Amino acid sequence: MSLLLSLALAASTTTAVPACPADALGTTRTLTLPRAAGAWGTAQHAPLPGLGPKEVVLTFDDGPRPESTPQVLKALADQCVQASFFMNGEPMARHPELARAVRDAGHSVGMHGFRHDNFSQLPAEDQGRDLKAMIATYVEVLGEAPAAYRFPFLAESPTLMKALDKLGITVMSVDAGAEDWLPDQTPQMLADKLMGQLAKPGGGIILLHDAQDQTARALPFLLKTLKAGGYRVVHLRW
């Protein structure tokens, strides 16, 4: 077979990677944090270091959920956006393929508690058992050690903060959100809340929920709203 024919056959069987649309929000850059203890997000802690004005980190909680997470992944892919997903251990164990699909799409994955409990109201022993179960599930499903954790309800407890610090795991809080767990909200309502909360810090860590149907439906509009507002997405890795 000639070299030219070989090249032609290779070209005919190669699937082209679609280019990012010119008007897409996109991902401006990647910010890599060390695998170390720390706590970021102005709702409870210091601002995330390394973010500039009008830069945001998109994060999603409570998944993976087959009814809504794939829609979120599609909306992010359509806008060439990379995000961070803080997963609960129970749905991660039930839907390991979906958890891996999130990771394999290039997104970062953190922990959100095995159960979605308010750990500040539980005995220390129960908090410790939940963390162990969460870490074990994460390692089993994704095959690597976790680097980051967000508390359900942002209800940080001294017991788990100490344990996470000892393990060198970063705690992520938030800077802005859309209160998308509240029912019966339109995309415009969610966008107005998000932009209103972003106005004060001028950027930072955004909290949304991929386990919410209304968030999955609204996400294309939310991403376009961020673009129109001049915000740029930074992908967070460890």
Side-chain angles (χ1 to χ4, degrees), residues 15-24 26 77-80:
T15 302
V17 177
C20 192
D23 61 347
D78 288 346
Q79 289 290 317
C80 301

Side-chain angles (χ1 to χ4, degrees), residues 30 57 69 79 81 95 98 111 140 160 165 168 182 190 197 203 218 220 224 238:
T30 298
V57 172
T69 301
Q79 289 290 317
V81 168
H95 310 292
L98 184 52
M111 303 182 292
E140 179 179 355
L160 285 186
D165 182 82
L182 298 176
L190 292 171
Q197 291 196 19
K224 290 178 182 178
W238 280 265

Side-chain angles (χ1 to χ4, degrees), residues 12-236:
S12 68
T13 57
T14 300
T15 302
V17 177
C20 192
D23 61 347
L25 174 58
T27 302
T28 303
R29 64 187 179 91
T30 298
L31 175 62
T32 302
L33 296 181
R35 283 181 170 262
W40 312 112
T42 56
Q44 294 162 292
H45 304 289
L48 181 65
L51 283 189
K54 287 282 191 171
E55 288 190 329
V56 297
V57 172
L58 280 177
T59 70
F60 295 87
D61 283 3
D62 297 356
R65 179 173 176 262
E67 296 83 0
S68 52
T69 301
Q71 288 179 262
V72 169
L73 291 177
K74 182 181 185 307
L76 293 172
D78 288 346
Q79 289 290 317
C80 301
V81 168
Q82 298 297 317
S84 299
F85 288 74
F86 290 84
M87 298 184 182
N88 287 114
E90 287 182 328
M92 179 182 269
R94 288 195 302 269
H95 310 292
E97 299 87 357
L98 184 52
R100 288 190 285 268
V102 172
R103 187 268 318 274
D104 293 345
H107 304 291
S108 302
V109 180
M111 303 182 292
H112 194 47
F114 186 79
R115 295 167 54 90
H116 199 285
D117 287 328
N118 186 330
F119 296 116
S120 67
Q121 299 176 359
L122 294 181
E125 294 80 5
D126 291 344
Q127 296 180 45
R129 279 192 288 268
D130 189 281
L131 180 59
K132 288 180 181 178
M134 178 72 251
I135 293 174
T137 300
Y138 188 104
V139 172
E140 179 179 355
V141 172
L142 298 182
E144 61 184 14
Y149 187 99
R150 177 183 278 147
F151 282 81
F153 309 106
L154 301 181
E156 297 177 357
S157 74
T159 296
L160 285 186
M161 287 293 284
K162 183 177 180 180
L164 292 165
D165 182 82
K166 191 172 182 179
L167 291 168
I169 292 175
T170 302
V171 173
M172 297 295 290
S173 186
V174 305
D175 295 289
E179 298 179 344
D180 57 334
W181 61 88
L182 298 176
D184 303 322
Q185 298 192 81
T186 66
Q188 188 64 62
M189 292 167 65
L190 292 171
D192 289 345
K193 285 186 179 180
L194 178 58
M195 298 303 282
Q197 291 196 19
L198 274 174
K200 183 177 180 180
I205 305 163
I206 292 175
L207 169 62
L208 297 169
H209 296 79
D210 61 302
Q212 294 287 336
D213 290 325
Q214 64 182 2
T215 304
R217 290 192 298 267
L219 188 57
F221 182 70
L222 295 178
L223 297 177
K224 290 178 182 178
T225 301
L226 287 171
K227 172 78 172 179
Y231 289 97
R232 302 178 304 278
V233 173
V234 173
H235 184 206
L236 193 61

